[in-house]
C-alpha cells in the first residue's frame, strides 16, 4: 500500500466539475493505492455478492440447479466451512434469494423474490440454523422490494420499485407501510415521458444501525440519512443536483441497446460503523458490467469526503471490516475462484 506525495495527490485528485449538473466539487485530499491479496477458493460457484458478518465472510452464488446459494468462510482466514440454502422448491430451499443488509452479529437474512419468503439464519462454525421466516409481499403487482435493509426487529428500509415507478419506503412485517419518501429526481419521469424507466435514476441503499446511505447508478450523487421516529430522514446530499442527459432505450438515432452507453457512477455501496464506502466506476455501463470498478470513495457520516482508495484489482462486490481495515471483494467476470483482500 502506498500513499502518494502531496504533488501526486494533486495530479490524481478525484473531482467532479462544478459545471456538471449543477453540483459542487468533491475533493479527496488523501488518495491511497492498495494492492490486492488474492485468496484462491476451490468451491465451484459464481459469486454475485460478498457479505461480512461478525465472524464470517459469506459469498452468494448466482444459482444454477442443484447447488447451494450461500458459501460460508471463516474470517479472516477465509477457510471454507460449509454451504447452505439449497436451490429448489422444498423446505429451506429457495429460488431467487437476495440478501437483507444490516443484520446483527452472525445472522444472515435474505428475501426469496420467487416466493416472498423472508428468512433469517444464524451462522456458526459448523452450520446455519433457520431462526425465523415469514412472508413479505409487495401489494403492487408491478413493483418489488429491492435493496432491503433491516433497521430494527422487523422494520425494513427498502427500495420498492418496478420498471416505471418506485419509492424509498419503511415497512414493518407486523403493521405494513410506515413511511414513504419519493425518489429525489421527481421531474425525470415527466421529462422523459414514455422513455422513462427506473434504471435511469436507480440507486443502492446500505444501512448501518438506523443510519443509511444512498448512491445512484447513473447520477453522481450520494445521500445520507437516518430512520428516526418511524420516518425516513434524508439529511445530507453531495454531488449532482440534476440528472445528466441519458442515452435511452430504442433511441431513433442509436441502437436499441443505447442505454449501455450511459456512464455508471456508483456500482456498489457499503455502510460501515465509521464510514461510508462507495464503489465508483466512471465508465460506460457495458464496460463496467464486464470489467467492474477499482475506486472506492470513503465518506464520513456527515457527508465529508475522507479518502479515495484506488484498488489494484477491480471488484464488483465488496464488504469492509473496519476493525482490521480490510476490504473483501469479488470479481466474478475476472476471477470467480478468488476472494480479493485489500488492507488499507
Amino acid at each position: 500500500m502506498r500513499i502518494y506525495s502531496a504533488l501526486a495527490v494533486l495530479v490524481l485528485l478525484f473531482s467532479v466539475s462544478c459545471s456538471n449538473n449543477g453540483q459542487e466539487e468533491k475533493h479527496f485530499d488523501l488518495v491511497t493505492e492498495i494492492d490486492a491479496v488474492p485468496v484462491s477458493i476451490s468451491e465451484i460457484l459464481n459469486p454475485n455478492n460478498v457479505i461480512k458478518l461478525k465472524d464470517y465472510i459469506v459469498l452468494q452464488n448466482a444459482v444454477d440447479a442443484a447447488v447451494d446459494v450461500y458459501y460460508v468462510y471463516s474470517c479472516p482466514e477465509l477457510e471454507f466451512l460449509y454451504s447452505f440454502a439449497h436451490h429448489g422448491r422444498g423446505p429451506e430451499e429457495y429460488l431467487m434469494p437476495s440478501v437483507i443488509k444490516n443484520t446483527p452479529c452472525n445472522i444472515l437474512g435474505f428475501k426469496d423474490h420467487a416466493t416472498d419468503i423472508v428468512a433469517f439464519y444464524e451462522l456458526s462454525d459448523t452450520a446455519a440454523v433457520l431462526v425465523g421466516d415469514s412472508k413479505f409481499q409487495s401489494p403492487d403487482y408491478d413493483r418489488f422490494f429491492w435493496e432491503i435493509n433491516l433497521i430494527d426487529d422487523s422494520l425494513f428500509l427498502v427500495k420498492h420499485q418496478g420498471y416505471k415507478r418506485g419509492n424509498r419506503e419503511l415497512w414493518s412485517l407486523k403493521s405494513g407501510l410506515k413511511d414513504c419518501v419519493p425518489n429525489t429526481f421527481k421531474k425525470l419521469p415527466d421529462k422523459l415521458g414514455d422513455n422513462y424507466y427506473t434504471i435511469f435514476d436507480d440507486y443502492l441503499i446500505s444501512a448501518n444501525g438506523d443510519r443509511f446511505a444512498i448512491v445512484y447508478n447513473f447520477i453522481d450523487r450520494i445521500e445520507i440519512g437516518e430512520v428516526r421516529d418511524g420516518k425516513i430522514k434524508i439529511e445530507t446530499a453531495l454531488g449532482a443536483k440534476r440528472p445528466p442527459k441519458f442515452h435511452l432505450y430504442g433511441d431513433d438515432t442509436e441502437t436499441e441497446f443505447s442505454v449501455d452507453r450511459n456512464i455508471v457512477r456508483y456500482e456498489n455501496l457499503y455502510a460501515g460503523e465509521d464510514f461510508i464506502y462507495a464503489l465508483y466506476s466512471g465508465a460506460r455501463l457495458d464496460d463496467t458490467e464486464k470489467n467492474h470498478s477499482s475506486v472506492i470513495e470513503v465518506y464520513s457520516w456527515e457527508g465529508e469526503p475522507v479518502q479515495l482508495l484506488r484498488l489494484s484489482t477491480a471488484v464488483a462486490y465488496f464488504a469492509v471490516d473496519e476493525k482490521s481495515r480490510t476490504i473483501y471483494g469479488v470479481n466474478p467476470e475476472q476471477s470467480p475462484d478468488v476472494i480479493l483482500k485489500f488492507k488499507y
Side-chain angles (χ1 to χ4, degrees), residues 100-120:
I100 296 172
K101 306 174 190 178
N102 198 35
T103 51
C105 202
N106 289 318
I107 300 293
L108 179 73
F110 55 86
K111 181 181 186 294
D112 185 358
H113 293 296
T115 62
D116 291 317
I117 291 292
V118 169
F120 292 95

Side-chain angles (χ1 to χ4, degrees), residues 290-305:
K290 179 175 64 176
N291 297 314
H292 300 294
S293 307
S294 58
V295 172
I296 295 178
E297 298 177 352
V298 184
Y299 293 91
S300 72
W301 279 102
E302 291 71 40
E304 296 295 327

Side-chain angles (χ1 to χ4, degrees), residues 24 37 248:
E24 298 178 358
V37 177
L248 307 175

Side-chain angles (χ1 to χ4, degrees), residues 64-306:
D64 296 313
V67 295
D68 288 336
V69 181
Y70 296 107
Y71 288 68
V72 182
Y73 297 82
S74 62
C75 186
E77 300 84 4
L78 296 182
E79 295 179 358
F80 175 67
L81 300 176
Y82 55 88
S83 61
F84 73 101
H86 201 68
H87 180 251
R89 299 179 179 272
E92 296 192 39
E93 294 183 342
Y94 308 95
L95 295 172
M96 297 175 59
S98 180
V99 165
I100 296 172
K101 306 174 190 178
N102 198 35
T103 51
C105 202
N106 289 318
I107 300 293
L108 179 73
F110 55 86
K111 181 181 186 294
D112 185 358
H113 293 296
T115 62
D116 291 317
I117 291 292
V118 169
F120 292 95
Y121 283 80
E122 185 170 9
L123 275 57
S124 69
D125 288 350
T126 56
V129 178
L130 181 66
V131 293
D133 61 7
S134 57
K135 279 271 189 176
F136 185 34
Q137 185 174 6
S138 171
D140 300 335
Y141 74 92
D142 63 341
R143 290 198 296 164
F144 300 90
F145 292 125
W146 306 107
E147 292 296 307
I148 305 174
N149 288 264
L150 181 66
I151 300 300
D152 182 27
D153 190 17
S154 61
L155 192 64
F156 295 125
L157 174 64
V158 304
K159 176 174 68 177
H160 193 192
Q161 186 162 291
Y163 289 113
K164 288 286 190 177
R165 63 191 183 99
N167 290 310
R168 282 122 354 146
E169 295 177 354
L170 195 63
W171 281 80
S172 168
L173 283 180
K174 300 174 182 177
S175 56
L177 180 64
K178 305 290 288 184
D179 192 28
C180 173
V181 175
N183 290 351
T184 296
F185 301 95
K186 303 175 185 177
K187 296 181 180 179
L188 189 59
D190 291 336
K191 180 179 179 181
L192 296 183
D194 292 340
N195 291 313
Y196 173 76
Y197 293 91
T198 51
I199 187 176
F200 295 119
D201 55 350
D202 199 7
Y203 52 88
L204 302 159
I205 307 176
S206 185
N208 189 291
D210 55 8
R211 300 181 298 181
F212 64 87
I214 296 172
V215 293
Y216 290 80
N217 295 130
F218 291 159
I219 303 172
D220 198 348
R221 180 180 177 87
I222 179 171
E223 299 169 348
I224 301 170
E226 183 179 1
V227 175
R228 188 168 62 248
D229 299 325
K231 298 291 184 181
I232 303 169
K233 307 287 188 181
I234 297 176
E235 299 174 330
T236 304
L238 183 67
K241 297 179 181 178
R242 58 180 182 269
K245 182 179 179 181
F246 294 113
H247 297 278
L248 307 175
Y249 287 101
D251 193 316
D252 291 340
T253 62
E254 301 182 43
T255 71
E256 61 178 320
F257 301 110
S258 60
V259 69
D260 288 340
R261 303 183 186 198
N262 287 300
I263 301 300
V264 174
R265 297 303 172 181
Y266 293 102
E267 188 178 7
N268 224 310
L269 176 68
Y270 184 86
E273 178 71 24
D274 301 323
F275 299 106
I276 299 162
Y277 306 80
L279 183 63
Y280 186 87
S281 173
R284 284 174 34 149
L285 176 60
D286 49 3
D287 184 61
T288 300
E289 289 179 335
K290 179 175 64 176
N291 297 314
H292 300 294
S293 307
S294 58
V295 172
I296 295 178
E297 298 177 352
V298 184
Y299 293 91
S300 72
W301 279 102
E302 291 71 40
E304 296 295 327
V306 173

